[in-house]
Amino acid sequence: MVESDRELSSMAQALWDNDVNRLQPGKDYRISLQGKAGEMAVLNDDNDGAGYPLFTFVDENIFKKETFLAFISLLDNYVSATGEPEIVTPEEEAENHKFLDSLVQTPTMKIAHKYLVEKKLSPENETDFKKQLYTIWFELYARKGASRPDSSGFEHVFVGETRRGRTVIGFHNWIQLYLQEKLGHIDYKGYSVNANSPQPDENKHIMALQFSWKEGFKPKGSIFIGVSPEFEFALYTLCFLSSPSERVKVQFSLYDVEIVCVHHNQKHIGTTYPMLIRYQNLRH
């Protein structure tokens, strides 16, 4: 492991250990993995490895917590189609700021901020730090093929987008997945594994899956399950600002993970998500 990855691993472990709002598998939520998804890259009903939803239970009391509440209020602020310009209303901008206000008060974000200040990657002043987070996650930019700003890091990673109506891009968040599945907009097609990835485990917090959303199809998407919004924001922001590499290997808790973090114009997150390499049995 290269030195920076070792350092980021210890930071990821600190974020994990301090994620006080993380849900417990089997207690706060339950998922049903069912079958393995088909290998095909197009939507096809013969391809379905799962006859039932992924989530069988979520204790929705968690959604009353401040960061969850502020996060969920952002999910309906976007047009999913790429190429359609995003218009941010004053109310939506206020919701973005409210979410960041709640975020920077959490233990995980405080740990990330302290580290980034020490590394001279972020301003120490909290207001300036929130401005930096706003630029990275919420400032609009034009995705490939779009003439006007139609996307943001937040929309892509946490809400999901559709390309030409048929392909789902981004969409790497379990809360959005759960809420959309509950509304009947998600059809879970099964878990996704290849020769190099371990079988997913219903009691662990990372999985790759296949699903359709609205009219679009996601052949393979990888997500954390049950973690808090602040954990994901802290970890992804750390990787974005600390590593020039778009693939960062980190070890924490039970997981060897590669965090994919693609930069857009060096100022914004293009996409970011976890890819499980293997489970560790070393630490609990």
Side-chain angles (χ1 to χ4, degrees):
M1 221 186 220
V2 299
E3 196 53 48
S4 64
D5 293 354
R6 197 168 287 139
E7 207 168 89
L8 280 175
S9 290
S10 70
M11 288 307 302
Q13 186 67 49
L15 298 179
W16 185 262
D17 291 344
N18 287 277
D19 187 14
V20 293
N21 287 333
R22 183 171 65 247
L23 282 70
Q24 277 185 40
K27 176 178 173 278
D28 303 317
Y29 73 91
R30 285 189 291 277
I31 60 172
S32 171
L33 289 171
Q34 299 164 73
K36 186 179 167 186
E39 298 297 323
M40 296 157 63
V42 292
L43 182 54
N44 182 322
D45 282 337
D46 302 336
N47 212 22
D48 205 328
Y52 300 97
L54 172 65
F55 287 94
T56 58
F57 165 74
V58 173
D59 180 353
E60 293 195 5
N61 284 319
I62 192 78
F63 296 157
K64 295 174 187 160
K65 295 200 172 186
E66 194 179 352
T67 51
F68 283 81
L69 205 57
F71 175 82
I72 289 167
S73 76
L74 307 181
L75 297 176
D76 62 357
N77 290 354
Y78 296 92
V79 179
S80 63
T82 54
E84 295 271 331
E86 289 290 347
I87 310 297
V88 182
T89 67
E91 289 80 9
E92 289 170 352
E93 192 170 331
E95 286 178 344
N96 293 344
H97 286 295
K98 188 178 178 186
F99 174 61
L100 290 179
D101 288 344
S102 69
L103 209 61
V104 296
Q105 299 309 317
T106 61
T108 50
M109 214 62 202
K110 284 180 186 293
I111 289 165
H113 186 204
K114 183 170 180 281
Y115 175 81
L116 291 166
V117 170
E118 284 167 6
K119 292 288 178 188
K120 299 190 167 37
L121 295 167
S122 288
E124 189 166 357
N125 179 286
E126 193 178 272
T127 304
D128 293 336
F129 180 51
K130 282 189 286 194
K131 281 182 189 161
Q132 183 186 34
L133 291 174
Y134 201 99
T135 300
I136 292 168
W137 286 103
F138 291 106
E139 206 169 81
L140 296 175
Y141 55 81
R143 274 204 181 267
K144 200 169 90 177
S147 55
R148 287 183 291 170
D150 65 336
S151 186
S152 67
F154 181 86
E155 179 187 9
H156 183 84
V157 174
F158 291 100
V159 185
E161 300 180 277
T162 52
R163 184 172 278 150
R164 291 186 287 280
R166 301 302 297 153
T167 307
V168 175
I169 59 172
F171 204 134
H172 298 287
N173 179 257
W174 76 269
I175 300 168
Q176 169 72 334
L177 191 73
Y178 166 71
L179 293 172
Q180 288 292 303
E181 187 174 68
K182 193 178 164 189
L183 289 169
H185 297 160
I186 292 274
D187 182 7
Y188 168 60
K189 302 286 184 185
Y191 62 86
S192 194
V193 290
N194 60 30
N196 302 319
S197 55
Q199 281 284 107
D201 182 325
E202 289 175 2
N203 292 309
K204 298 206 168 63
H205 287 277
I206 304 173
M207 73 172 289
L209 70 160
Q210 188 178 98
F211 60 92
S212 61
W213 179 46
K214 299 179 178 177
E215 301 295 311
F217 183 55
K218 181 88 179 173
K220 184 176 182 177
S222 193
I223 58 173
F224 284 111
I225 298 188
V227 299
S228 69
E230 57 266 30
F231 172 79
E232 290 193 83
F233 262 77
L235 180 60
Y236 295 151
T237 302
L238 269 184
C239 291
F240 175 77
L241 290 171
S242 303
S243 177
S245 166
E246 294 193 333
R247 289 175 174 269
V248 186
K249 285 192 171 70
V250 291
Q251 296 177 328
F252 61 90
S253 183
L254 305 170
Y255 313 102
D256 269 14
V257 184
E258 189 168 74
I259 303 294
V260 176
C261 189
V262 178
H263 299 216
H264 182 89
N265 296 345
Q266 299 311 307
K267 281 202 316 183
H268 311 113
I269 282 178
T271 191
T272 183
Y273 53 90
M275 282 176 62
L276 182 61
I277 299 167
R278 67 186 178 95
Y279 295 122
Q280 296 189 83
N281 294 318
L282 311 173
R283 283 186 301 211
H284 292 273

